[in-house]
Amino acid sequence: MNRLVAAVIASILGMAWVGCSYASPAAPLPDPVVDTPLAGVSGMQTAVLAGGCFWGMEGVFEHVKGVTRVVSGYAGGNAETATYDQVSTGRTGHAESVHIFYDPARISYGQLLKVFFSVAHDPTELNRQGPDTGTQYRSAIFYANADQKRVADGYIAQLQAAGVFRRPVVTQVVPLKGFYDAEAYHQNYLDRHPNQPYIVINDLPKIAALRQQFPAWYVDR
């Protein structure tokens, strides 16, 4: 079922899906051993991550220090199929993703990945997140350069070796071939619909977890 349609039905019926899907590690995640150092001067870099519904992913990273902008969109497929209706079929190769713009002098790529694996989603769920199923909801890191690939591969290997999750990490690490902005009605969706049942059940707990687990990195918007 189209998530927007399901959300409307849930609102009308006063129902919602059960449970928020974000990582539940057996122990706090370690800092990445392999990372890029903080830059000496402010600037702008980007990261593209996929971890289920982009509403929640966008909402989480908008509250991370050093992040200046987050855009919901699609990555993994081609431009011709980058529309919500087409991506929702699960046959386009796209994943719902977020394009994160951040200041590398304030937060590193590895630190963004720590948030990604800790509270933004559950990296052990294959082709699904919580109530949403299909390859469009897969966990993926779309790297733009060799440094991002090195940090992503290194951190996943580190997490696997440490056994911090009860199941294996299934996050893909794949090259970024293109990012396509989602439709305007998807942008800042969480902020504009904070009382929608889907948001309350599945996404607001992620932001609360960010604030609790990473108080030094959490910022109000």
Side-chain angles (χ1 to χ4, degrees):
M1 181 185 295
N2 182 294
R3 190 173 68 247
L4 286 170
V5 174
V8 171
I9 293 174
S11 297
I12 294 172
L13 298 180
M15 303 185 317
W17 295 282
V18 177
C20 167
S21 183
Y22 63 86
S24 299
L29 268 58
D31 292 329
V33 172
V34 179
D35 198 0
T36 53
L38 290 177
V41 296
S42 294
M44 183 66 67
Q45 292 186 10
T46 63
V48 175
L49 305 173
C53 172
F54 43 32
W55 297 343
M57 288 280 289
E58 179 183 348
V60 167
F61 283 101
E62 283 181 337
H63 287 279
V64 175
K65 76 166 186 178
V67 172
T68 57
R69 184 182 176 215
V70 187
V71 178
S72 290
Y74 313 107
N78 57 52
E80 289 72 23
T81 59
T83 67
Y84 183 71
D85 287 343
Q86 290 176 290
V87 173
S88 293
T89 67
R91 298 191 297 268
T92 64
H94 281 296
E96 290 196 13
S97 307
V98 289
H99 198 180
I100 302 165
F101 297 78
Y102 69 98
D103 182 352
R106 299 187 63 201
I107 192 164
S108 71
Y109 185 72
Q111 289 171 328
L112 290 175
L113 294 187
K114 186 175 181 180
V115 171
F116 175 66
F117 284 112
S118 295
V119 299
H121 82 309
D122 184 345
T124 69
E125 289 195 323
L126 181 64
N127 294 332
R128 68 169 298 145
Q129 284 293 309
D132 302 316
T133 61
T135 58
Q136 69 271 33
Y137 300 112
R138 65 187 182 273
S139 174
I141 297 169
F142 294 95
Y143 63 86
N145 53 53
D147 278 342
Q148 289 188 352
K149 183 179 189 304
R150 175 176 58 85
V151 174
D153 285 339
Y155 197 39
I156 290 174
Q158 180 184 349
L159 296 178
Q160 299 279 47
V164 294
F165 293 108
R166 296 173 180 84
R167 296 177 295 177
V169 172
V170 296
T171 305
Q172 299 176 344
V173 179
V174 292
L176 176 65
K177 297 181 179 178
F179 181 88
Y180 309 97
D181 293 5
E183 295 81 353
Y185 61 86
H186 285 300
Q187 307 301 333
N188 300 309
Y189 193 89
L190 184 148
D191 288 341
R192 292 185 291 106
H193 303 278
N195 298 317
Q196 188 195 87
Y198 182 99
I199 297 296
V200 171
I201 297 297
N202 295 289
D203 295 332
L204 293 185
K206 299 177 183 180
I207 298 174
L210 173 70
R211 186 171 191 169
Q212 180 180 21
Q213 295 185 34
F214 302 100
W217 293 356
Y218 178 88
V219 293
D220 285 319
R221 298 293 187 189

mmCIF file of all heavy atoms in Angstrom, residues 129-168:
data_model
loop_
_atom_site.group_PDB
_atom_site.id
_atom_site.type_symbol
_atom_site.label_atom_id
_atom_site.label_comp_id
_atom_site.label_asym_id
_atom_site.label_seq_id
_atom_site.Cartn_x
_atom_site.Cartn_y
_atom_site.Cartn_z
ATOM 1 N N GLN A 129 12.127 -1.525 6.658
ATOM 2 C CA GLN A 129 12.334 -0.799 7.895
ATOM 3 C C GLN A 129 10.979 -0.693 8.570
ATOM 4 O O GLN A 129 10.052 -0.078 8.043
ATOM 5 C CB GLN A 129 12.913 0.600 7.657
ATOM 6 C CG GLN A 129 14.386 0.623 7.313
ATOM 7 C CD GLN A 129 15.282 0.186 8.468
ATOM 8 O OE1 GLN A 129 15.161 0.695 9.580
ATOM 9 N NE2 GLN A 129 16.175 -0.747 8.200
ATOM 10 N N GLY A 130 10.854 -1.333 9.727
ATOM 11 C CA GLY A 130 9.596 -1.270 10.444
ATOM 12 C C GLY A 130 8.433 -1.747 9.599
ATOM 13 O O GLY A 130 8.458 -2.865 9.083
ATOM 14 N N PRO A 131 7.412 -0.901 9.405
ATOM 15 C CA PRO A 131 6.234 -1.328 8.656
ATOM 16 C C PRO A 131 6.411 -1.287 7.146
ATOM 17 O O PRO A 131 5.534 -1.737 6.411
ATOM 18 C CB PRO A 131 5.174 -0.305 9.086
ATOM 19 C CG PRO A 131 5.963 0.940 9.320
ATOM 20 C CD PRO A 131 7.256 0.475 9.939
ATOM 21 N N ASP A 132 7.529 -0.743 6.667
ATOM 22 C CA ASP A 132 7.730 -0.538 5.232
ATOM 23 C C ASP A 132 8.612 -1.653 4.661
ATOM 24 O O ASP A 132 9.706 -1.912 5.164
ATOM 25 C CB ASP A 132 8.398 0.812 4.976
ATOM 26 C CG ASP A 132 7.580 1.963 5.530
ATOM 27 O OD1 ASP A 132 6.344 1.953 5.332
ATOM 28 O OD2 ASP A 132 8.159 2.862 6.155
ATOM 29 N N THR A 133 8.137 -2.287 3.604
ATOM 30 C CA THR A 133 8.879 -3.384 3.003
ATOM 31 C C THR A 133 9.143 -3.115 1.528
ATOM 32 O O THR A 133 8.380 -2.438 0.857
ATOM 33 C CB THR A 133 8.105 -4.708 3.139
ATOM 34 O OG1 THR A 133 6.836 -4.598 2.463
ATOM 35 C CG2 THR A 133 7.865 -5.059 4.596
ATOM 36 N N GLY A 134 10.251 -3.672 1.035
ATOM 37 C CA GLY A 134 10.637 -3.505 -0.362
ATOM 38 C C GLY A 134 12.051 -2.979 -0.472
ATOM 39 O O GLY A 134 12.594 -2.385 0.469
ATOM 40 N N THR A 135 12.662 -3.187 -1.617
ATOM 41 C CA THR A 135 14.039 -2.745 -1.820
ATOM 42 C C THR A 135 14.177 -1.232 -1.734
ATOM 43 O O THR A 135 15.273 -0.726 -1.475
ATOM 44 C CB THR A 135 14.560 -3.221 -3.179
ATOM 45 O OG1 THR A 135 13.706 -2.718 -4.224
ATOM 46 C CG2 THR A 135 14.600 -4.742 -3.260
ATOM 47 N N GLN A 136 13.093 -0.510 -1.932
ATOM 48 C CA GLN A 136 13.152 0.954 -1.841
ATOM 49 C C GLN A 136 13.373 1.419 -0.406
ATOM 50 O O GLN A 136 13.664 2.591 -0.171
ATOM 51 C CB GLN A 136 11.899 1.604 -2.433
ATOM 52 C CG GLN A 136 10.612 1.392 -1.663
ATOM 53 C CD GLN A 136 9.859 0.142 -2.080
ATOM 54 O OE1 GLN A 136 10.450 -0.869 -2.455
ATOM 55 N NE2 GLN A 136 8.539 0.208 -2.022
ATOM 56 N N TYR A 137 13.253 0.508 0.543
ATOM 57 C CA TYR A 137 13.484 0.832 1.958
ATOM 58 C C TYR A 137 14.758 0.178 2.491
ATOM 59 O O TYR A 137 14.922 0.028 3.696
ATOM 60 C CB TYR A 137 12.280 0.400 2.801
ATOM 61 C CG TYR A 137 10.998 1.079 2.390
ATOM 62 C CD1 TYR A 137 9.965 0.354 1.791
ATOM 63 C CD2 TYR A 137 10.823 2.441 2.582
ATOM 64 C CE1 TYR A 137 8.791 0.974 1.394
ATOM 65 C CE2 TYR A 137 9.647 3.067 2.188
ATOM 66 C CZ TYR A 137 8.634 2.335 1.595
ATOM 67 O OH TYR A 137 7.473 2.960 1.202
ATOM 68 N N ARG A 138 15.646 -0.201 1.599
ATOM 69 C CA ARG A 138 16.866 -0.884 2.024
ATOM 70 C C ARG A 138 17.831 0.073 2.723
ATOM 71 O O ARG A 138 17.746 1.290 2.583
ATOM 72 C CB ARG A 138 17.567 -1.527 0.830
ATOM 73 C CG ARG A 138 18.116 -0.563 -0.221
ATOM 74 C CD ARG A 138 18.618 -1.342 -1.429
ATOM 75 N NE ARG A 138 19.204 -0.501 -2.481
ATOM 76 C CZ ARG A 138 18.504 0.065 -3.449
ATOM 77 N NH1 ARG A 138 17.187 -0.081 -3.493
ATOM 78 N NH2 ARG A 138 19.118 0.791 -4.383
ATOM 79 N N SER A 139 18.746 -0.524 3.445
ATOM 80 C CA SER A 139 19.813 0.228 4.104
ATOM 81 C C SER A 139 20.985 0.327 3.144
ATOM 82 O O SER A 139 21.495 -0.690 2.656
ATOM 83 C CB SER A 139 20.237 -0.503 5.383
ATOM 84 O OG SER A 139 21.363 0.118 5.978
ATOM 85 N N ALA A 140 21.432 1.562 2.876
ATOM 86 C CA ALA A 140 22.518 1.738 1.908
ATOM 87 C C ALA A 140 23.289 3.023 2.185
ATOM 88 O O ALA A 140 22.723 4.019 2.638
ATOM 89 C CB ALA A 140 21.976 1.766 0.476
ATOM 90 N N ILE A 141 24.572 2.949 1.912
ATOM 91 C CA ILE A 141 25.442 4.117 1.926
ATOM 92 C C ILE A 141 25.902 4.338 0.492
ATOM 93 O O ILE A 141 26.535 3.451 -0.102
ATOM 94 C CB ILE A 141 26.655 3.895 2.846
ATOM 95 C CG1 ILE A 141 26.201 3.692 4.291
ATOM 96 C CG2 ILE A 141 27.631 5.064 2.743
ATOM 97 C CD1 ILE A 141 27.310 3.203 5.214
ATOM 98 N N PHE A 142 25.557 5.466 -0.077
ATOM 99 C CA PHE A 142 25.958 5.792 -1.441
ATOM 100 C C PHE A 142 27.181 6.708 -1.359
ATOM 101 O O PHE A 142 27.064 7.895 -1.086
ATOM 102 C CB PHE A 142 24.812 6.477 -2.182
ATOM 103 C CG PHE A 142 23.619 5.588 -2.414
ATOM 104 C CD1 PHE A 142 22.544 5.599 -1.528
ATOM 105 C CD2 PHE A 142 23.570 4.736 -3.504
ATOM 106 C CE1 PHE A 142 21.444 4.778 -1.724
ATOM 107 C CE2 PHE A 142 22.476 3.909 -3.726
ATOM 108 C CZ PHE A 142 21.417 3.926 -2.830
ATOM 109 N N TYR A 143 28.349 6.126 -1.594
ATOM 110 C CA TYR A 143 29.576 6.911 -1.425
ATOM 111 C C TYR A 143 29.900 7.717 -2.676
ATOM 112 O O TYR A 143 29.676 7.279 -3.810
ATOM 113 C CB TYR A 143 30.747 6.016 -1.033
ATOM 114 C CG TYR A 143 31.155 4.973 -2.060
ATOM 115 C CD1 TYR A 143 32.037 5.276 -3.090
ATOM 116 C CD2 TYR A 143 30.678 3.665 -1.975
ATOM 117 C CE1 TYR A 143 32.434 4.325 -4.025
ATOM 118 C CE2 TYR A 143 31.063 2.699 -2.896
ATOM 119 C CZ TYR A 143 31.938 3.041 -3.915
ATOM 120 O OH TYR A 143 32.321 2.085 -4.844
ATOM 121 N N ALA A 144 30.427 8.917 -2.440
ATOM 122 C CA ALA A 144 30.747 9.824 -3.545
ATOM 123 C C ALA A 144 32.226 9.822 -3.899
ATOM 124 O O ALA A 144 32.610 10.347 -4.946
ATOM 125 C CB ALA A 144 30.314 11.243 -3.194
ATOM 126 N N ASN A 145 33.060 9.256 -3.031
ATOM 127 C CA ASN A 145 34.501 9.249 -3.293
ATOM 128 C C ASN A 145 35.151 8.115 -2.504
ATOM 129 O O ASN A 145 34.487 7.426 -1.712
ATOM 130 C CB ASN A 145 35.128 10.604 -2.926
ATOM 131 C CG ASN A 145 34.784 11.037 -1.508
ATOM 132 O OD1 ASN A 145 34.982 10.284 -0.555
ATOM 133 N ND2 ASN A 145 34.263 12.258 -1.365
ATOM 134 N N ALA A 146 36.447 7.942 -2.714
ATOM 135 C CA ALA A 146 37.173 6.840 -2.088
ATOM 136 C C ALA A 146 37.217 6.965 -0.575
ATOM 137 O O ALA A 146 37.166 5.957 0.145
ATOM 138 C CB ALA A 146 38.592 6.761 -2.661
ATOM 139 N N ASP A 147 37.307 8.192 -0.061
ATOM 140 C CA ASP A 147 37.344 8.378 1.392
ATOM 141 C C ASP A 147 36.042 7.922 2.039
ATOM 142 O O ASP A 147 36.045 7.259 3.086
ATOM 143 C CB ASP A 147 37.608 9.845 1.738
ATOM 144 C CG ASP A 147 39.083 10.212 1.682
ATOM 145 O OD1 ASP A 147 39.924 9.281 1.713
ATOM 146 O OD2 ASP A 147 39.385 11.413 1.609
ATOM 147 N N GLN A 148 34.915 8.273 1.432
ATOM 148 C CA GLN A 148 33.635 7.846 1.993
ATOM 149 C C GLN A 148 33.504 6.329 1.964
ATOM 150 O O GLN A 148 33.007 5.725 2.930
ATOM 151 C CB GLN A 148 32.476 8.502 1.235
ATOM 152 C CG GLN A 148 32.350 9.990 1.493
ATOM 153 C CD GLN A 148 31.088 10.587 0.892
ATOM 154 O OE1 GLN A 148 30.351 9.933 0.148
ATOM 155 N NE2 GLN A 148 30.823 11.849 1.207
ATOM 156 N N LYS A 149 33.941 5.700 0.895
ATOM 157 C CA LYS A 149 33.891 4.233 0.820
ATOM 158 C C LYS A 149 34.784 3.615 1.895
ATOM 159 O O LYS A 149 34.398 2.643 2.563
ATOM 160 C CB LYS A 149 34.322 3.746 -0.555
ATOM 161 C CG LYS A 149 34.219 2.231 -0.731
ATOM 162 C CD LYS A 149 34.634 1.794 -2.123
ATOM 163 C CE LYS A 149 34.334 0.319 -2.362
ATOM 164 N NZ LYS A 149 34.959 -0.578 -1.376
ATOM 165 N N ARG A 150 35.964 4.172 2.071
ATOM 166 C CA ARG A 150 36.906 3.640 3.060
ATOM 167 C C ARG A 150 36.323 3.735 4.465
ATOM 168 O O ARG A 150 36.398 2.783 5.246
ATOM 169 C CB ARG A 150 38.217 4.424 2.970
ATOM 170 C CG ARG A 150 39.265 4.061 4.012
ATOM 171 C CD ARG A 150 40.546 4.838 3.767
ATOM 172 N NE ARG A 150 40.323 6.285 3.790
ATOM 173 C CZ ARG A 150 40.319 7.022 4.906
ATOM 174 N NH1 ARG A 150 40.523 6.447 6.081
ATOM 175 N NH2 ARG A 150 40.113 8.325 4.850
ATOM 176 N N VAL A 151 35.727 4.868 4.799
ATOM 177 C CA VAL A 151 35.149 5.047 6.127
ATOM 178 C C VAL A 151 33.954 4.114 6.320
ATOM 179 O O VAL A 151 33.806 3.481 7.374
ATOM 180 C CB VAL A 151 34.741 6.516 6.347
ATOM 181 C CG1 VAL A 151 34.001 6.676 7.666
ATOM 182 C CG2 VAL A 151 35.969 7.416 6.319
ATOM 183 N N ALA A 152 33.086 4.022 5.310
ATOM 184 C CA ALA A 152 31.897 3.169 5.421
ATOM 185 C C ALA A 152 32.272 1.698 5.564
ATOM 186 O O ALA A 152 31.764 0.998 6.449
ATOM 187 C CB ALA A 152 30.999 3.371 4.198
ATOM 188 N N ASP A 153 33.147 1.223 4.699
ATOM 189 C CA ASP A 153 33.570 -0.179 4.786
ATOM 190 C C ASP A 153 34.247 -0.463 6.123
ATOM 191 O O ASP A 153 34.004 -1.501 6.755
ATOM 192 C CB ASP A 153 34.534 -0.517 3.647
ATOM 193 C CG ASP A 153 33.843 -0.668 2.299
ATOM 194 O OD1 ASP A 153 32.622 -0.912 2.279
ATOM 195 O OD2 ASP A 153 34.533 -0.539 1.269
ATOM 196 N N GLY A 154 35.090 0.467 6.551
ATOM 197 C CA GLY A 154 35.805 0.279 7.805
ATOM 198 C C GLY A 154 34.871 0.231 8.999
ATOM 199 O O GLY A 154 35.053 -0.588 9.911
ATOM 200 N N TYR A 155 33.865 1.099 9.004
ATOM 201 C CA TYR A 155 32.970 1.143 10.162
ATOM 202 C C TYR A 155 32.074 -0.093 10.215
ATOM 203 O O TYR A 155 31.835 -0.653 11.292
ATOM 204 C CB TYR A 155 32.132 2.417 10.131
ATOM 205 C CG TYR A 155 31.505 2.743 11.468
ATOM 206 C CD1 TYR A 155 32.193 2.542 12.664
ATOM 207 C CD2 TYR A 155 30.220 3.267 11.553
ATOM 208 C CE1 TYR A 155 31.623 2.848 13.898
ATOM 209 C CE2 TYR A 155 29.640 3.586 12.777
ATOM 210 C CZ TYR A 155 30.354 3.372 13.948
ATOM 211 O OH TYR A 155 29.797 3.675 15.162
ATOM 212 N N ILE A 156 31.583 -0.526 9.068
ATOM 213 C CA ILE A 156 30.760 -1.737 9.057
ATOM 214 C C ILE A 156 31.575 -2.931 9.542
ATOM 215 O O ILE A 156 31.107 -3.738 10.361
ATOM 216 C CB ILE A 156 30.183 -1.992 7.652
ATOM 217 C CG1 ILE A 156 29.127 -0.932 7.319
ATOM 218 C CG2 ILE A 156 29.567 -3.393 7.565
ATOM 219 C CD1 ILE A 156 28.599 -1.008 5.909
ATOM 220 N N ALA A 157 32.809 -3.056 9.070
ATOM 221 C CA ALA A 157 33.669 -4.148 9.528
ATOM 222 C C ALA A 157 33.923 -4.055 11.027
ATOM 223 O O ALA A 157 33.930 -5.069 11.743
ATOM 224 C CB ALA A 157 34.988 -4.124 8.757
ATOM 225 N N GLN A 158 34.111 -2.835 11.515
ATOM 226 C CA GLN A 158 34.339 -2.623 12.944
ATOM 227 C C GLN A 158 33.115 -3.039 13.762
ATOM 228 O O GLN A 158 33.243 -3.712 14.805
ATOM 229 C CB GLN A 158 34.673 -1.149 13.189
ATOM 230 C CG GLN A 158 34.933 -0.788 14.640
ATOM 231 C CD GLN A 158 35.160 0.710 14.830
ATOM 232 O OE1 GLN A 158 35.325 1.454 13.854
ATOM 233 N NE2 GLN A 158 35.155 1.167 16.069
ATOM 234 N N LEU A 159 31.921 -2.658 13.305
ATOM 235 C CA LEU A 159 30.695 -3.009 14.019
ATOM 236 C C LEU A 159 30.449 -4.512 13.998
ATOM 237 O O LEU A 159 30.033 -5.107 15.003
ATOM 238 C CB LEU A 159 29.502 -2.269 13.407
ATOM 239 C CG LEU A 159 29.519 -0.744 13.521
ATOM 240 C CD1 LEU A 159 28.299 -0.153 12.824
ATOM 241 C CD2 LEU A 159 29.578 -0.296 14.976
ATOM 242 N N GLN A 160 30.711 -5.135 12.869
ATOM 243 C CA GLN A 160 30.534 -6.588 12.774
ATOM 244 C C GLN A 160 31.482 -7.306 13.720
ATOM 245 O O GLN A 160 31.103 -8.243 14.425
ATOM 246 C CB GLN A 160 30.777 -7.050 11.328
ATOM 247 C CG GLN A 160 29.835 -6.461 10.299
ATOM 248 C CD GLN A 160 28.484 -7.153 10.220
ATOM 249 O OE1 GLN A 160 27.840 -7.409 11.236
ATOM 250 N NE2 GLN A 160 28.039 -7.440 9.008
ATOM 251 N N ALA A 161 32.737 -6.871 13.744
ATOM 252 C CA ALA A 161 33.730 -7.512 14.595
ATOM 253 C C ALA A 161 33.408 -7.327 16.074
ATOM 254 O O ALA A 161 33.661 -8.213 16.899
ATOM 255 C CB ALA A 161 35.127 -6.970 14.282
ATOM 256 N N ALA A 162 32.840 -6.162 16.417
ATOM 257 C CA ALA A 162 32.521 -5.880 17.816
ATOM 258 C C ALA A 162 31.259 -6.601 18.278
ATOM 259 O O ALA A 162 31.024 -6.718 19.489
ATOM 260 C CB ALA A 162 32.357 -4.376 18.016
ATOM 261 N N GLY A 163 30.449 -7.079 17.326
ATOM 262 C CA GLY A 163 29.230 -7.797 17.676
ATOM 263 C C GLY A 163 28.217 -6.955 18.416
ATOM 264 O O GLY A 163 27.509 -7.448 19.294
ATOM 265 N N VAL A 164 28.114 -5.680 18.049
ATOM 266 C CA VAL A 164 27.210 -4.786 18.781
ATOM 267 C C VAL A 164 25.750 -4.980 18.391
ATOM 268 O O VAL A 164 24.857 -4.558 19.127
ATOM 269 C CB VAL A 164 27.606 -3.305 18.582
ATOM 270 C CG1 VAL A 164 28.952 -3.022 19.211
ATOM 271 C CG2 VAL A 164 27.627 -2.942 17.107
ATOM 272 N N PHE A 165 25.507 -5.624 17.266
ATOM 273 C CA PHE A 165 24.137 -5.921 16.867
ATOM 274 C C PHE A 165 23.870 -7.408 17.019
ATOM 275 O O PHE A 165 24.776 -8.231 16.882
ATOM 276 C CB PHE A 165 23.891 -5.502 15.413
ATOM 277 C CG PHE A 165 23.947 -4.011 15.193
ATOM 278 C CD1 PHE A 165 25.016 -3.442 14.522
ATOM 279 C CD2 PHE A 165 22.935 -3.189 15.661
ATOM 280 C CE1 PHE A 165 25.083 -2.072 14.316
ATOM 281 C CE2 PHE A 165 22.987 -1.817 15.463
ATOM 282 C CZ PHE A 165 24.065 -1.255 14.786
ATOM 283 N N ARG A 166 22.630 -7.740 17.253
ATOM 284 C CA ARG A 166 22.253 -9.132 17.456
ATOM 285 C C ARG A 166 22.185 -9.898 16.146
ATOM 286 O O ARG A 166 22.191 -11.132 16.138
ATOM 287 C CB ARG A 166 20.900 -9.204 18.177
ATOM 288 C CG ARG A 166 20.962 -8.612 19.596
ATOM 289 C CD ARG A 166 19.580 -8.529 20.228
ATOM 290 N NE ARG A 166 19.645 -7.977 21.576
ATOM 291 C CZ ARG A 166 19.668 -6.691 21.868
ATOM 292 N NH1 ARG A 166 19.632 -5.792 20.881
ATOM 293 N NH2 ARG A 166 19.727 -6.282 23.117
ATOM 294 N N ARG A 167 22.110 -9.168 15.043
ATOM 295 C CA ARG A 167 22.076 -9.779 13.718
ATOM 296 C C ARG A 167 23.107 -9.080 12.842
ATOM 297 O O ARG A 167 23.539 -7.968 13.149
ATOM 298 C CB ARG A 167 20.676 -9.642 13.101
ATOM 299 C CG ARG A 167 19.590 -10.384 13.856
ATOM 300 C CD ARG A 167 18.222 -10.150 13.230
ATOM 301 N NE ARG A 167 17.803 -8.751 13.328
ATOM 302 C CZ ARG A 167 16.680 -8.265 12.814
ATOM 303 N NH1 ARG A 167 15.858 -9.059 12.154
ATOM 304 N NH2 ARG A 167 16.370 -6.987 12.961
ATOM 305 N N PRO A 168 23.497 -9.688 11.717
ATOM 306 C CA PRO A 168 24.496 -9.061 10.845
ATOM 307 C C PRO A 168 23.996 -7.756 10.239
ATOM 308 O O PRO A 168 22.813 -7.585 9.959
ATOM 309 C CB PRO A 168 24.713 -10.120 9.750
ATOM 310 C CG PRO A 168 24.247 -11.406 10.344
ATOM 311 C CD PRO A 168 23.128 -11.051 11.270
#
